[in-house]
Amino acid sequence: QVQLQESGPGLVKPSETLSLTCAVSGYSISSGYFWGWIRQPPGRGLEWIGSIYHTGRTYYSPSLNSRVTISVDTSKNQFTLKMNSVTAADTAIYYCARDVGGATGAYDYWGQGTLVTVSS
Amino acid sequence: QSALTQPRSVSGSPGQSVTFSCTGTSSDIGAYNYVSWYQQHPNKVPKLLVYDVNKRPSGVPDRFSGSKSGNTASLTISGLQADDEADYYCCSYAGSYTSVVFGGGTNLTVL
C-alpha cells in the first residue's frame, strides 16, 4: 500500500524558508510517476505548487516558480519542497501526493497534510 | 481567483443526480483530456474520483462519472447519498508551462 508522510516545521517566520519532506513507502519513487505538492489555505481551495519526476525533472506553478524548489532523493525514497521568502499568505495545509496521470494533476495517493503557519 | 471556475454550491436530495460544472479555457480543459475531480470531506484529505476526464480509480463507485464538452468539464453523481455531502474540486492540465490548475471548489449539500 502506497503511503506518503509530510514532515517539517509547523511554524516559519516571515521572510524565511519553508522546508518540507515527503517520505514515500510502499512504492519506489524510481519506478515512475510524478510526485507533487499541493497546498490549501485554511477554509479555502486547493492550489497546485509543483511536481517532480525521479529523474529530477520539475514543473512549478508560474505564480510560485520564483520562490519554490522541489528536489528528490531516490536513495531515501523521498522528495522535498523548499519555498523561500514566505509571508502570511503562505500559511496553509501542505500535501504531498502521487500523480498517476503523469504530471497532469491526477493525484491518487495523498499524505495526511501538514499545517504550516507563517508568523513571527 | 482560481484558474478554473466552479459554482460555489449545489444541492440535491437523496437518490437524485447532481452535476458539477467546471469552466476553463482553450488552454486547459479545452486543449487536453486531462481533467480530474476530487472529493474532500471537512478536515479530510482530498480523494481522487475521476481522472483523464472520465476514468475512475479502483474503488470509486460508478455513481461518479465525468465528461467534457469544449472548455467545460462536468462531474455527475447519481443516486445521491448523505455521505456525498462534501466539497468537490476540478483540476486540469494546462500545458508544460502552467502545468496544473484547480478550480475553486463546489460545496455539495444533500437535502
Side-chain angles (χ1 to χ4, degrees):
Chain A
Q1 182 182 357
V2 181
Q3 293 185 313
L4 296 88
Q5 180 65 59
E6 306 90 349
S7 62
L11 181 65
V12 182
K13 290 182 169 55
S15 80
E16 294 191 342
T17 296
L18 176 161
S19 182
L20 296 173
T21 295
C22 181
V24 180
S25 60
Y27 188 87
S28 172
I29 287 180
S30 298
S31 295
Y33 294 122
F34 273 81
W35 303 82
W37 288 96
I38 303 98
R39 70 180 182 179
Q40 184 171 34
R44 301 185 65 181
L46 301 169
E47 180 183 14
W48 181 74
I49 298 172
S51 62
I52 190 166
Y53 197 58
H54 67 87
T55 57
R57 181 180 181 185
T58 53
Y59 294 104
Y60 300 123
S61 166
S63 64
L64 298 171
N65 182 58
S66 63
R67 298 194 294 126
V68 168
T69 301
I70 299 175
S71 58
V72 64
D73 186 337
T74 54
S75 67
K76 294 181 178 179
N77 214 38
Q78 64 186 35
F79 57 105
T80 299
L81 167 70
K82 291 188 185 296
M83 181 182 296
N84 59 36
S85 305
V86 297
T87 69
D90 295 311
T91 294
I93 296 173
Y94 285 76
Y95 296 101
C96 60
R98 186 182 81 168
D99 192 329
V100 71
T104 60
Y107 294 104
D108 61 345
Y109 286 97
W110 294 63
Q112 285 301 303
T114 187
L115 175 63
V116 177
T117 302
V118 179
S119 175
S120 55
Chain B
Q1 187 172 359
S2 303
L4 304 178
T5 300
Q6 297 184 251
R8 280 189 171 256
S9 63
V10 299
S11 61
S13 300
Q16 288 186 333
S17 293
V18 293
T19 297
F20 304 82
S21 65
C22 174
T23 303
T25 70
S26 57
S27 296
D28 39 63
I29 292 177
Y32 307 98
N33 289 322
Y34 295 128
V35 177
S36 302
W37 288 90
Y38 296 88
Q39 176 192 61
Q40 187 180 33
H41 288 105
N43 301 312
K44 298 296 185 182
V45 175
K47 175 185 177 182
L48 181 65
L49 295 175
V50 168
Y51 68 102
D52 292 355
V53 177
N54 56 17
K55 296 179 182 176
R56 281 187 306 277
S58 174
V60 174
D62 59 7
R63 300 190 298 112
F64 297 90
S65 61
S67 62
K68 188 189 88 166
S69 178
N71 298 337
T72 299
S74 300
L75 173 74
T76 297
I77 307 176
S78 59
L80 203 59
Q81 300 176 0
D83 188 54
D84 295 333
E85 190 162 283
D87 292 324
Y88 292 81
Y89 294 92
C90 61
C91 175
S92 175
Y93 179 67
S96 60
Y97 177 68
T98 310
S99 291
V100 173
V101 289
F102 278 96
T106 298
N107 179 257
L108 170 65
T109 299
V110 180
L111 301 171

